Each structure stands twice: as C-alpha cells, then as structure tokens.
C-alpha cells in the first residue's frame, strides 16, 4: 500500500470515461492533495476553508448524515435470492436504476471538470476490489482519496477496468416520479452491474458505505466474514482484536490505542489467514474532540484531512464543541496519519472480540464475558441505547438494535454473517466480551457516563489477558458473566445494580431493557439455533 504523496502531479485531460457514459474530457485522475486543496480553496468547493490545523473544512449541505431510508438495491435475477429484503435493502427495479444512473451521468457530463479516484477496497491483494469514484466536488475527491487504499504509481498504471464504480452526482436531486424513488435523495446499488449511483445527498459517507455494502455482498460468497468493526493488533505477536459497536459507542476512539497497532477503525474482513482492513483511512466523529482524551485522532486532523460540517473560530481553529450545523461532525484522514498504524493493514487471527454498547439505560455491566451462544445472541442483536433527541422534556433513552452492529450495510440475512463469525470463533478459540461505554449509577439524566480512562483500562486488561481468569458472577437478568475485578478500575462500578441509589428502580429499568431485547430478537428466532435464542435475557 502506498503512502500519501501530497506533491505528485495529477493526471489531467484525456482519460476515457465513455465506458461509464461520461463524455467530459477534462479529468483529474488521482490528483495530489495539494491540487485538491488548490481547487477547493479557489472556488470549486463552496464555503471550503483551510483550518488552522491544516485540514480542509467542507460542508455537505442539507444532508449531514447518511440517508438509510433512501438506499435501494437493484432487484435482478442474479442476486434476488441472496439479498435480505426489507427495511435495510429496499428493492429497486432495474429500469428505475438505469433512469437514475442516466440522470447522474447527465449531471456529471454537464461539468467542466471531473475527479476520478481509483483505489482499492481490501488490504489483502487476494480479495481486494479495484474501485473507481467519479465526482465533481474536490471535497468528495479528497475524502475518497483518504478512505480508499491508495495505489502506488505502478499499481495505478496497471489499474485496468474497475471492479466497482460509484457515480456521485449528489448535487443533482433524484426524480421522485421514477418508480421506487420516494424522495429527492436516492442511493442505489446494483450488484449485477457493480455500480452505485448517488443523487440528492452530498454527504461523503454515502460513497464509503456504498463500497462497504458491495464488500458485504461479495465477501461472504467467498466464505469471508465482512465486519463493521475496528481492529488493533499486538505489536509483538501480530494477533488482533476486534471491536464492534454502533456510532457513539467508542469504536474509533478505543481503536486509537497507543499500546497497540491500528489495523483500522471501521470495516474489516476475516479470512482463513487473518484479518484485513477494507479501507485506507479513518472516519472519526469529532464532536467534543480533545487532544487530552483522543490525542491520536486529534493530531491526525491536519493537512490532508477533511473536516465535515465543523465550525471555526475567528482565528481559524476548530470549535470542537459547536454542533450548530450537526452533532455528526466528522474527520476523514489517511490511516498513516495515526502514528502506530500498521501498513499494510493486515493482521493475524483475533484473540478477542469486544462488543461495545453505550447503554443509556445504565443497567448493563461495564465489562462481562460471553459464552459462544451469548456472543451470537448479542452479535445478531447489535444493541446500544442513545439519549433522546431534541424534543424538550424527553430524557428517556432510546434503544437501538442493529444486527451484526452494522444493519444498514448488510446484504445477506444477519444469520449468514453470524454463522461465519461463529465458525471463526470456534476455530480460533476467541474470547468474547461485552463492554458498556454508557451510563452507570442510573440512566441518562440521573447517572454519569462511565469514565473513558476506566473503559480504556478494561480494554487494556482484555488485551493483556488479565481478565482471562478474573472472578465473575452471573447477571441475574441478562445472564452474561460480569467481571467483578479489573486492575486499575474501582470495583464498586463493576456491578451496575450496586451503583444505583434505588435498587428497585434498577430492577425496573433492567426488566424493561430485557423485554426490548426479547421483542427485537423475535425477528431472528426462526433462523437461529435454539441455544442461541435462549442465550438472551431471562425475563
């Protein structure tokens, strides 16, 4: 994998994009970081600013996050039986896809200049895809320069035809008169064509997740587990650890571990020989970022990084706490910007799998050990709880269940990914842990968020093998084995019921969450073994 080169000369001009329906002849293919900055700051990127830390600040318009309700998968005879149709994969007929793609191509053809980013998805050459991004915004070009694996000049010269193409025409609204299109936004994927088409949203994360979704389809066909998780490795043994968790649970934060090598923060695959990162960069949430709490991420946000939807002070510094544009402020940077990143981003088989949950109900233990059956139950459940939204007076947490900790990006039924994980765990004797990064002493509004240093110490203890023989006791409601002693962590916080001033209130809230687990899991019971179905809460 090549390192980022900021000063190389871009390939400009006569690249032939006619196989993709593009007739524009002024093309910048894999331009340098310097050139992208120059274009962005000269007016091609509305509102773009260079922050005091050197990062390029850009704005994604009305959409400051993904649009999962507008994601469509083309229904075709080749793949129809593979796809888990429903609230994750909304079907789109082929004729509708072709009309949307033509609309995207027409928008791109109306531009005087386009950017093409050719890169790889997958750090293992045996499994990687050649990916091509076609876009018109410098911000999008730099974002995918960071997020794909950057080819060397020699690899770029031999790139050939791409395996997967993304047409990003996000500034052009979709046509709601097209059958299956229900809003001005449409993000469409065709597995038969190996193409994605983006209309009506300029949020850069749609490109990244489009690539991930195609990997989520292709890799299980090759008996490879694709995973929405971060990964680190022991610098001496090369053995890895996986951290699963939904947004806000600490997946990126905890993977930036100075004591371990970073493999990646978000998307990985597990093969017969080990794991590899799908991406060439990281995409971190930056709200309330501080150098003290997250030094690696803070320092990675420099020249060459993209900052999305942040607010700058008069002196050009970032006001990390300002959420006036969105709570979902983000930073994208090449993985090499993390000092202890392992490049190429491959590692050995995991010794530990950690499920992260930010339990805003405050009833799950800070760290517990799971049996194989419990591991499958919690993997399929994919639980976290978020604090309530912006409605005045509403403080009760909202439970979120996302199968395999990545529901919006799954293609196959969750049971397929779960069975692949079970096979890998059994074969390699993996320890599985549930770590609560949420609340203790009461729910949100009453208790307090578990201190990040305490969570780091728990994760460090897992990686050091200190918890392999630690004392545990069964949780009377949820059944997992609660770890009751962690070196460097106050023992009084490890038993959640004991941290509540009102034990009866704890019991009521725990029973409520247990019922939510059971209600959610009913959807998967028909596809899971009986011992997995009974591995959840006992209420």
């Amino acid at each position: 994998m090549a390192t980022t080169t900021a000063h190389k000369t871009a390939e400009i001009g006569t690249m032939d994009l006619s196989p993709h329906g593009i007739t524009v002849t002024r093309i910048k293919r894999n331009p340098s970081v310097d050139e992208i900055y120059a274009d962005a700051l000269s007016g091609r990127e509305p509102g773009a600013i260079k922050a005091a830390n050197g990062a390029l600040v850009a704005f994604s318009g009305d959409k400051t996050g993904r649009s999962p309700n507008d994601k469509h998968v083309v229904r075709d005879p080749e793949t129809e039986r593979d796809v888990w149709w429903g609230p994750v994969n909304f079907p789109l007929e082929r004729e509708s896809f072709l009309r949307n793609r033509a609309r995207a191509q027409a928008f791109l053809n109306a531009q005087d200049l386009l950017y093409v980013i050719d890169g790889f998805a997958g750090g293992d050459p045996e499994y990687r895809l050649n990916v091509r991004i076609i876009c018109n915004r410098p911000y999008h070009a730099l974002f995918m320069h960071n997020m794909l694996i950057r080819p060397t000049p020699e690899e770029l010269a031999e790139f050939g035809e791409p395996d997967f193409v993304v047409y990003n025409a996000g500034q052009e609204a979709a046509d709601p008169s097209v059958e299956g299109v229900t809003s001005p936004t449409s993000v469409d994927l065709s597995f038969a064509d190996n193409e994605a088409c983006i209309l009506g949203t300029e949020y850069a994360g749609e490109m990244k997740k489009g690539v991930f979704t195609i990997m989520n389809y292709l890799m299980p066909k090759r008996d490879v587990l694709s995973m929405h998780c971060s990964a680190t490795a022991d610098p001496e043994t090369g053995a890895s650890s996986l951290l699963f968790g939904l947004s806000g649970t600490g997946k990126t934060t905890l993977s930036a571990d100075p004591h371990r090598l970073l493999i990646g923060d978000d998307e990985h695959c597990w093969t017969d020989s080990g794991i590899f990162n799908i991406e060439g960069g990281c995409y971190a949430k930056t709200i309330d970022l501080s150098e003290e709490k997250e030094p690696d991420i803070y320092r990675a946000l420099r020249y060459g990084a993209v900052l999305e939807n942040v607010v700058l002070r008069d002196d050009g510094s970032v006001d990390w706490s300002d959420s006036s544009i969105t709570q979902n402020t983000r930073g994208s940077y090449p993985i090499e910007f993390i000092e202890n990143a392992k490049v190429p981003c491959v590692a050995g088989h995991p010794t530990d799998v950690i499920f992260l949950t930010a339990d805003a109900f405050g009833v799950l233990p800070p760290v517990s050990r799971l049996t194989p059956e419990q591991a499958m139950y919690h993997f399929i459940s994919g639980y976290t709880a978020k604090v309530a939204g912006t409605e005045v007076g509403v403080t009760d947490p909202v439970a979120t269940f996302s199968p395999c900790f990545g529901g919006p990006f799954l293609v196959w039924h969750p049971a397929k990914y779960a069975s692949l994980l079970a096979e890998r765990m059994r074969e390699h004797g993996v320890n599985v842990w549930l770590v609560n990064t949420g609340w203790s002493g009461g729910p949100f509004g009453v208790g307090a968020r578990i201190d990040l240093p305490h969570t780091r110490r728990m994760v460090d203890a897992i990686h050091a093998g200190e918890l392999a023989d630690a004392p545990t006791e069964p949780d009377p409601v949820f059944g997992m084995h609660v770890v009751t002693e962690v070196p460097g962590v106050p023992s009084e916080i490890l038993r959640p019921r004991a941290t509540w001033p009102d034990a009866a209130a704890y019991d009521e809230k725990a029973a409520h969450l247990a019922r939510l687990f059971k209600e959610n899991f009913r959807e998967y019971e028909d596809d899971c073994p009986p011992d997995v179905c009974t591995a959840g809460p006992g209420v």
Side-chain angles (χ1 to χ4, degrees):
M1 172 176 161
T3 57
T4 304
T5 305
H7 303 288
K8 68 177 183 177
T9 301
E11 182 179 328
I12 307 172
T14 58
M15 183 179 186
D16 181 14
L17 293 180
S18 60
H20 310 304
I22 303 297
T23 58
V24 177
T25 57
R26 189 164 178 242
I27 306 293
K28 292 190 176 183
R29 183 189 188 212
N30 290 41
S32 69
V33 172
D34 286 348
E35 186 154 10
I36 295 175
Y37 265 69
D39 286 357
L41 299 175
S42 66
R44 284 195 173 273
E45 190 58 65
I49 313 167
K50 183 179 178 182
N53 62 9
L56 181 67
V57 176
F59 303 92
S60 64
D62 293 339
K63 296 292 183 78
T64 58
R66 290 182 300 100
S67 301
N69 293 333
D70 298 306
K71 174 192 147 188
H72 308 109
V73 174
V74 177
R75 191 202 306 269
D76 61 71
E78 297 176 46
T79 60
E80 183 172 7
R81 293 184 180 180
D82 298 337
V83 178
W84 181 41
W85 300 107
V88 169
N89 297 298
F90 297 102
L92 188 73
E93 297 307 315
R94 179 163 183 78
E95 178 59 31
S96 296
F97 172 73
L98 294 177
R99 288 181 63 184
N100 286 347
R101 187 181 65 180
R103 190 176 182 90
Q105 291 166 334
F107 170 82
L108 293 170
N109 279 327
Q111 309 305 309
D112 69 321
L113 170 68
L114 293 178
Y115 299 92
V116 169
I117 302 298
D118 284 342
F120 303 125
D124 185 335
E126 183 178 348
Y127 297 99
R128 75 185 184 190
L129 295 184
N130 289 13
V131 176
R132 172 164 292 166
I133 308 294
I134 305 174
C135 60
N136 69 300
R137 290 190 64 174
Y139 143 53
H140 290 159
L142 182 56
F143 180 90
M144 290 308 289
H145 163 86
N146 290 345
M147 299 313 301
L148 291 175
I149 297 171
R150 291 157 290 284
T152 65
E154 293 77 17
E155 288 172 330
L156 191 59
E158 300 296 326
F159 191 80
E161 291 303 311
D163 300 310
F164 186 64
V165 178
V166 177
Y167 301 88
N168 189 339
Q171 290 175 304
E172 176 77 358
D175 180 1
S177 72
V178 173
E179 183 182 357
V181 175
T182 56
S183 83
T185 297
S186 191
V187 180
D188 310 331
L189 290 95
S190 171
F191 299 131
D193 297 292
N194 290 315
E195 292 180 334
C197 170
I198 299 172
L199 292 165
T201 173
E202 298 172 65
Y203 182 65
E206 297 287 7
M207 295 181 288
K208 161 188 161 68
K209 290 307 184 185
V211 174
F212 183 40
T213 303
I214 193 74
M215 291 292 280
N216 266 338
Y217 175 64
L218 294 175
M219 291 299 101
K221 290 172 75 75
R222 301 181 64 180
D223 200 34
V224 170
L225 173 61
S226 51
M227 306 172 291
H228 187 223
C229 68
S230 61
T232 63
D234 185 292
E236 295 183 3
T237 67
S240 62
S241 171
L242 305 178
L243 293 94
F244 290 85
L246 303 179
S247 178
T249 59
K251 182 161 53 72
T252 296
T253 297
L254 292 169
S255 65
D257 185 336
H259 307 299
R260 294 175 65 83
L261 300 176
L262 176 65
I263 306 302
D265 78 322
D266 198 42
E267 302 171 4
H268 294 84
C269 289
W270 191 349
T271 73
D272 289 337
S273 57
I275 65 167
F276 65 80
N277 190 353
I278 291 174
E279 302 184 293
C282 301
Y283 192 37
K285 294 192 76 163
T286 62
I287 194 70
D288 295 325
L289 181 69
S290 71
E291 187 172 15
E292 178 185 5
K293 290 185 177 179
E294 301 177 79
D296 292 330
I297 295 173
Y298 185 92
R299 294 165 193 162
L301 294 170
R302 58 183 193 261
Y303 184 82
V306 175
L307 281 171
E308 280 182 322
N309 301 315
V310 301
V311 176
L312 300 184
R313 302 185 182 94
D314 291 341
D315 64 358
S317 64
V318 181
D319 186 345
W320 301 109
S321 64
D322 193 322
S323 61
S324 58
I325 299 175
T326 178
Q327 278 278 345
N328 190 37
T329 54
R330 292 271 185 169
S332 159
Y333 48 89
I335 198 165
E336 302 96 298
F337 282 18
I338 298 292
E339 185 176 344
N340 62 328
K342 183 179 183 295
V343 181
C345 301
V346 296
H349 294 291
T351 56
D352 296 278
V353 168
I354 302 171
F355 297 152
L356 301 172
T357 179
D359 176 31
F361 291 101
V363 297
L364 290 181
V367 58
S368 54
R369 190 166 186 167
L370 304 181
T371 66
E373 294 75 23
Q374 289 170 339
M376 301 319 302
Y377 184 95
H378 283 276
F379 182 64
I380 292 173
S381 297
Y383 164 74
T384 193
K386 300 176 181 180
V387 299
T390 57
E391 187 176 344
V392 175
V394 178
T395 58
D396 287 343
V398 179
T400 299
F401 295 94
S402 185
C404 309
F405 295 95
F409 323 117
L410 302 184
V411 179
W412 304 83
H413 189 280
K416 187 173 185 70
Y417 303 93
S419 64
L420 284 169
L421 180 62
E423 291 172 11
R424 299 285 189 273
M425 290 192 306
R426 283 194 297 266
E427 183 177 356
H428 301 288
V430 178
N431 300 311
V432 186
W433 312 86
L434 181 69
V435 172
N436 176 19
T437 64
W439 274 255
S440 178
F444 171 77
V446 177
R449 190 86 187 248
I450 297 171
D451 287 343
L452 179 59
H454 288 158
T455 301
R456 286 194 184 279
R457 178 79 275 277
M458 296 174 209
V459 173
D460 287 346
I462 289 171
H463 290 152
E466 297 173 6
L467 302 190
D469 298 313
T472 64
E473 58 186 39
D475 185 284
V477 177
F478 297 96
M480 70 275 288
H481 299 272
V482 179
V483 178
T484 57
E485 292 182 17
V486 179
V489 176
S491 59
E492 57 267 21
I493 75 167
L494 297 176
R495 296 178 175 89
R497 190 173 188 269
T499 67
W500 282 52
D502 184 344
Y506 169 87
D507 293 340
E508 180 181 352
K509 194 66 73 175
H512 171 68
L513 179 58
R515 287 191 292 271
L516 295 178
F517 263 96
K518 294 181 80 67
E519 290 169 8
N520 171 73
F521 205 80
R522 288 195 185 102
E523 180 179 353
Y524 310 108
E525 288 178 342
D526 292 343
D527 298 285
C528 292
D531 55 353
V532 173
C533 295
T534 57
V539 174

